[in-house]
Amino acid sequence: VAKACANQDYVIHLAAIIPPLADEKPEMARAVNVEGTRNIVKGIEANSPNAFLLYSSSVAIYGDRNKNPDIKTTDELKPSVGDDYGQTKVEAEKIIRESKINWTIYRLSAIMGIGNHKVSKLMFHMPLETIMEIATVRDTARAFVNSIGKEDQLEKKTFNLGGGESCRITYLDFMTRAFDLYGMGKIDFPKYAFAKINFHCGNYVDGHLLEEIVHFRQDTIDTYFERFGKAVPGIQRFFTKLVNKPVKMYLTRLSEPLIAHKKQDKELIARFFGSEYDA
């Protein structure tokens, strides 16, 4: 760490263990996300005290916002029940704020790349009604790069980084468009497959404050899906249409909310459904 942090003007810290691995291995997530951040801060303090740190935090720190989806950086930090990843980000932010270095923190929204979607059980943790504000990978990278030389406007401040109003969509609509492009058909999973509470995401109503400084937004939800569609080979879409039913049956077996319902696991039912459980 000392060698990596020596003689640096800027340090961009993106490293993290994210879900679902963070949920499966919380000790690893804490070691990387919290203690790793602590080591980087100490390395900067000791070897490049005038360097400027740009840190990527997460919308996960705000927790479940389905009933109040409009988010500001001044809102309470309250990761959802069972979200160890969100908690590590809260702790890492605290380490940075209490340090002696120069810093800015960007709380990233749902960051979406092209061709890097990995199907996992996490897809069922998000309620279909959730309002998402995505930011594309290339817009997010542009925000960090464009921040260089702007530390006079960014220093010791925290910003919400999202794509803005043109990048907002419900999770159901996002899934519908993605499934259609993949040839997966309708979102016709069984009742209880998707959780009803305890995830995250929402609208960054103060996200324009960062855009006004670093001017990074170029994509919209439509341009994202245009690029998404071009990245899916027609032959893949054709064959996926032929097997989408068994694929969805396989995916359904990954659903932890549905497993909790079938097993009548009261603790997990409370976590995934709360008072909205009507069985």
Side-chain angles (χ1 to χ4, degrees):
V1 175
K3 183 178 180 181
C5 292
N7 303 313
Q8 301 297 329
D9 295 317
Y10 297 91
V11 177
I12 298 177
H13 178 13
L14 306 176
I17 300 295
I18 64 174
L21 183 59
D23 297 331
E24 297 165 358
K25 298 186 177 181
E27 292 182 1
M28 178 189 291
R30 179 164 298 278
V32 173
N33 300 357
V34 179
E35 298 308 319
T37 298
R38 194 190 311 277
N39 289 339
I40 288 173
V41 166
K42 288 181 178 179
I44 296 172
E45 287 177 335
N47 300 283
S48 296
N50 295 318
F52 189 65
L53 172 68
L54 294 108
Y55 176 68
S56 61
S57 188
S58 170
V59 67
I61 66 175
Y62 297 113
D64 187 338
R65 296 299 298 261
N66 271 8
K67 293 183 178 179
N68 182 18
D70 292 342
I71 301 172
K72 296 181 179 180
T73 57
T74 52
D75 290 350
E76 179 184 10
L77 306 185
K78 189 178 179 181
S80 292
V81 175
D83 188 358
D84 292 315
Y85 168 72
Q87 187 58 45
T88 65
K89 286 297 186 178
V90 172
E91 294 179 36
E93 283 195 15
K94 186 173 185 289
I95 290 169
I96 292 169
R97 285 198 187 83
E98 294 178 350
S99 72
K100 299 176 183 178
I101 65 175
N102 304 315
W103 55 266
T104 190
I105 294 171
Y106 294 163
R107 293 173 178 164
L108 308 188
S109 63
I111 307 304
M112 296 294 174
I114 302 297
N116 67 341
H117 295 281
K118 295 181 180 180
V119 174
S120 76
K121 59 187 179 183
L122 194 67
M123 67 179 280
F124 296 105
H125 285 211
M126 181 184 284
L128 290 172
E129 301 81 12
T130 302
I131 295 175
M132 306 167 59
E133 179 177 328
I134 75 161
T136 63
V137 168
R138 60 184 188 178
D139 274 0
T140 304
R142 189 177 296 110
F144 280 91
V145 172
N146 289 359
S147 298
I148 295 174
K150 303 287 182 63
E151 49 265 42
D152 58 325
Q153 300 175 72
L154 302 172
E155 187 175 347
K156 302 292 172 65
K157 294 180 180 178
T158 300
F159 297 89
N160 284 327
L161 190 161
E165 291 185 19
S166 65
C167 285
R168 293 174 186 169
I169 190 171
T170 66
Y171 184 44
L172 175 59
D173 288 343
F174 184 92
M175 289 277 288
T176 298
R177 293 180 71 167
F179 267 45
D180 180 62
L181 291 171
Y182 271 130
M184 283 288 290
K186 297 179 180 180
I187 310 299
D188 52 359
F189 292 91
K191 186 178 181 181
Y192 305 114
F194 290 89
K196 299 296 288 186
I197 61 171
N198 275 325
F199 200 68
H200 50 261
C201 285
N203 298 328
Y204 276 166
V205 295
D206 58 357
H208 65 282
L209 298 176
L210 181 60
E211 167 63 13
E212 290 168 359
I213 298 172
V214 300
H215 308 295
F216 65 98
R217 293 173 175 170
Q218 293 187 14
D219 285 316
T220 67
I221 197 70
D222 290 328
T223 62
Y224 168 75
F225 276 113
E226 286 172 10
R227 293 175 59 235
F228 187 125
K230 292 177 181 177
V232 180
I235 191 69
Q236 177 182 341
R237 187 178 299 111
F238 173 78
F239 282 108
T240 301
K241 286 181 179 180
L242 298 179
V243 298
N244 65 39
K245 289 185 178 180
V247 169
K248 282 190 281 189
M249 289 176 63
Y250 164 75
L251 292 176
T252 299
R253 291 197 292 270
L254 299 178
S255 168
E256 291 179 311
L258 184 58
I259 292 170
H261 163 69
K262 289 182 176 180
K263 291 185 176 181
Q264 284 298 289
D265 185 319
K266 293 182 179 180
E267 181 178 349
L268 288 179
I269 286 173
R271 172 182 169 183
F272 291 126
F273 301 105
S275 61
E276 296 191 43
Y277 186 68
D278 58 2

